[in-house]
Amino acid sequence: MDPQANDRAQLPRNMIENSMFEEEPDVVDLAKESNLNPLESDDVEYEPRSSRLLVRGLGEHDLDEDEEDYESSAKLLGMSFMNRSSGLRNSGSNFRHTQEGLCPVPSARTVIVCGVVVVIAISIVTVVYLLPKCTFTKEGCHVKNHSMELIYPIASNGKVFPWAKNRLPHSVLPLQYNITLHPNMSTMAFTGLVQIKLNVTENTKNIILHSSGLHITKASVLLEGKSLEKVEVLEYPAFEEIAVILPEPIIKGKECILSLGYSANFSSSYYGFYKVSYMDGNSSRWLAATQFEPLAARKAFPCFDEPAFKSTFLIRIKRNEEHISLSNMPKIETTTVADGVLQDEFSTSVAMSTYLVAFIVADMKNVSKETNDTMVSVYAIPQKMDQVQYALESAVKLLDFYTKYFEIKYPLKKLDLVAIPDIQAGAMENWGLITFRETTLLYGENISSVMDKQEVTMVIAHELAHQWFGNLVTMEWWNDVWLNEGFATYMQYFSLQSAFPDLNADDGFLKQRFKALEKDALITSHPISTDVQSPQHIEEMFDDLSYIKGAAILLMLKNYLSEDIFHFCIKQYLNNYEYRSATSDGLWESMNLITQSNPDMKNLMKSWTHQAGYPLVTAIKKGKEIHLSQERFLRTNNPTENSSTVWHVPLSYITSDTSETAFKNVYLLNDVKDKINLTSENSWVKFNVRMTGFYLVDYGDEGWNGLIGQLNSDHTVLHSDDRANLIHDIFVLGGVGRVPLTKAFDLLSYIVNETNVAPIRQVIHQLSHIHGILDKRGETLLAGRVMHNTLDLLKNQIKNQSWTDEGTLSERELRSTLLDFACSYDFTDCTSKAAEWFDKWKNNGTQLPTDVMKVVYKVGAKTEEGWGYLFEVYASSMFETEKLKILEALASTDNARKLLWLMQESLRGNLIRSQDLHRIITFISRHVPGYLVAWDFVKQNWDEINQKFQPGSYIIQTVVTKTTYQFSTETYLNEVISFFNSTSGKSRDMWCVKEAIETIKMNIQWIKQNLDSIKNWL
């Protein structure tokens, strides 16, 4: 899945609240035999008091007074010893401390008697609490029934639910689903019938599977041609599970068919089987679509909703004549089942996970093209069919590329790409039926920019890569979601650089790696392979680390092994696990078959997947020797957190005596300290060539001076990626006091001669962040001088930009970046030119160059008339890329009422789609006073936001981090902590909340360390 394509945190999913992890049990189980307890000691999960009873040796209907007496007896007996022994201790103490004559000293006889009493009490408690197979009740000690000696929850109807974990048992395995659905677009509800063929792997009387929000209307089990009578269905909503209770056990090795009829309403969120409204002229239309990743297939049909439970699917959908239906597989027949109602049947799928199942009922059109026996089609609503051709040509080209590169044929006969008018994720890789935001699939000539084209192509490349990484080979559990998303992200950039070199994908990848480094330098970061169980944390796994860090370590590995060996390795992995599930260890073991364990891939890469963070490598040049050391880098500069972590770091480097094209000097640093011997003494050494490694480098004072000298004398000796890397590293290190910030400003002196977008973009990013922190803490004059100095550094490059669409992608991106920056900070020449273009566009209909369209809109939105006109254009435009640019312009106003209105409308989802709420909040939070309006809006509407979007999802992550990331005072720190502590549910436990709090603390520390250096520079 691509979580949010435009922001490129490749991404985004869960709504159930799981309070099973923190609540204490009502009573303590007296049984101590581990073999009698289905929840292992490190695996026990409890439910809140309001919905759970503990069942120990009692029948389902015998839990009333006896259970209360049992609990009271156990508690009373347990406390009696504590109180008695405590009383004895207190008495002894009192004897020693009372005044003489008031209390006698205890005799030896008294001490002996007390000791005997204590021994007797201990013996009784031991018998009651520790005697195996015995439960103490008011009737005495009874031998317990082993089969009931479990901690079980209570189902919604009050009966005992026969399973107590949030992961399903493996006593039955699904082989095939037959699903018949009837979505009713008038009542906004659907009915369904699912028949699941099951393989019984253990003797069992219960079938446990997932179901959420579905009303089960009938249930039956067919065993050896005979229908079992008296089948009962129990529901446990806290884990979104149901249990089908059979009248008699099914023997291991048998197969049976479970049939469940059900009904439900369409989801009003973006999760499950949900409804979407859109305008067709002046009338409103509806369609229904699905979003199942990670845990929402259970909201559309009862199923074994975990990625390792792969199965085949045969799907039938009933619909009205004015609609079409789509699913993963090609349609094989359509039959009339009632007056005006048709049923489409789709061919049986390949084995796949439930989260990849998809279906759509809508009024859509398509264009198609066949390649390698696969029909590729792009679908959109009828009025936007003029924007689908580029996506079709790109998809065909990329499908051919992947088929050839992986040497594994795409296994389905069709591949549909569907533009959904309203969808939370940037895109979703459903096998054979990929869904997209309209902004990430549709491309309009003369409206969409070259950067829009790059974005559309990248998202298509990402989702097509998933057809192999994720669909053909699936991670076994969500702890390894990086196997899906990291590989898909890596392949999107690799495929674009190979098949679309003019789109300059490498530069985009560099920008994203900087972004991941920023997130992973926090104490609150997490390993990309980390244990997750709760729905909220599963959602949060779809973040920049799983996507971008996952892709970055693959890039680093490719450069270390060589492209050819890496290519062989990933082909081996795909062949080893096709149609199956894999783990991180499985990937490294497959690669070891190619490398012959030289190097041992598991040993090499485990430090990158199972540890949070990344190393700071210090490289000090002493003559011909480079003395190396490594430690975990943290932006909070906390030495207690980074002392013991070691990575296997493939260090690439060039020197003043070697050209960038002549390297490959690579040294594997796998210890805390080491050294490299050079063949000659060099004036400088640059590590992490083209920033293909995921680490920072500190060169020491002399080393930085040598590199700064080279940049000032001839910066082109170093690749533009290396120049951007140096700017990034020195500012990050300067921020935590590892390098004087004044040295970072010294390095910037060369920028007046820079012409490449990557270094200039990095300068703007670093200095804009400094400006934002200063501006939002009231240091207005100081913040203004930061921007004045930045504009002074870049003024020549800004003046050299033309207001056209000419040049290479890199040149055009540089134009957009510089002009947007200049106009945003009121560089007079820029704003006056943009205002001229706006007036010509508004009054005369002059076509705007797409590279500067957003810049012109933002300047035009500064006036009341211009803002109103832009919203009119937004409301009538059929081009989503244009609408997104207008939204950013509307959100750049200083009018607080307008800013609040934009967020309110987006939350309602009428005039502005809710899918864009997080973007609007991000745009508004960038400046003053918008950030205050945005933060207040989030606080006041937090509950509604969490109802519309899944807790922990990428949109929630964005809302939390972007509204708070430039707070830098104790007041705001306390306010953020207090707010999230006061929210219902588990908001305060989300990783993004912890990240936001740590970032504010880091900003406070940054100000304390660097304010004087900023003043000196200015």
Side-chain angles (χ1 to χ4, degrees), residues 238-250:
F239 282 173
E240 299 186 332
E241 292 173 352
I242 58 173
V244 180
I245 312 299
L246 308 174
E248 59 190 53
I250 302 180

Side-chain angles (χ1 to χ4, degrees), residues 80-253:
S80 64
F81 169 66
M82 296 299 296
N83 291 337
R84 190 174 303 170
S85 59
S86 175
L88 291 172
R89 288 193 299 272
N90 291 338
S91 297
S93 176
N94 287 338
F95 286 162
R96 295 182 182 89
H97 291 89
T98 53
Q99 294 181 15
E100 185 177 352
L102 295 180
C103 193
V105 176
S107 66
R109 180 180 177 182
T110 303
V111 173
I112 292 171
V113 170
C114 291
V116 170
V117 171
V118 170
V119 170
I120 293 171
I122 292 174
S123 301
I124 293 172
V125 172
T126 301
V127 169
V128 173
Y129 274 74
L130 302 180
L131 184 64
K133 307 177 183 178
C134 184
T135 299
F136 187 85
T137 68
K138 64 183 180 182
E139 291 83 14
C141 180
H142 297 282
V143 175
K144 300 177 74 175
N145 182 335
H146 288 202
S147 63
M148 292 299 293
E149 196 161 316
L150 312 176
I151 301 177
Y152 285 132
I154 297 301
S156 55
N157 64 355
K159 293 186 177 183
V160 178
F161 192 83
W163 188 247
K165 297 184 180 182
N166 65 344
R167 296 281 297 273
L168 297 180
H170 286 246
S171 52
V172 295
L173 301 177
L175 299 176
Q176 180 170 331
Y177 292 78
N178 285 1
I179 304 170
T180 302
L181 288 165
H182 186 186
N184 189 319
M185 305 304 292
S186 299
T187 63
M188 296 299 158
F190 63 96
T191 58
L193 173 66
V194 60
Q195 297 172 306
I196 313 174
K197 185 178 181 181
L198 300 170
N199 175 33
V200 180
T201 59
E202 299 174 14
N203 296 351
T204 184
K205 196 178 177 181
N206 311 310
I207 300 173
I208 314 295
L209 66 162
H210 288 112
S211 176
S212 177
L214 304 176
H215 175 57
I216 306 298
T217 56
K218 59 182 178 179
S220 64
V221 174
L222 189 67
L223 177 64
E224 296 179 333
K226 177 184 175 183
S227 181
L228 301 183
E229 302 295 330
K230 298 181 180 179
V231 171
E232 184 180 16
V233 178
L234 302 179
E235 182 180 7
Y236 185 50
F239 282 173
E240 299 186 332
E241 292 173 352
I242 58 173
V244 180
I245 312 299
L246 308 174
E248 59 190 53
I250 302 180
I251 307 303
K252 175 182 177 180

Side-chain angles (χ1 to χ4, degrees), residues 19 100 122 137 156 195 305 396 425 478 482 485 584 615 671 683 723 839 843 845 880 888 897 950:
S19 55
E100 185 177 352
I122 292 174
T137 68
S156 55
Q195 297 172 306
D305 200 12
V396 168
W478 302 107
W482 84 272
E485 301 300 349
S584 291
D671 210 339
S683 58
R723 304 196 297 269
D839 289 341
N843 299 322
E880 290 300 315
E888 184 170 352
R897 288 188 177 183
Q950 293 303 115

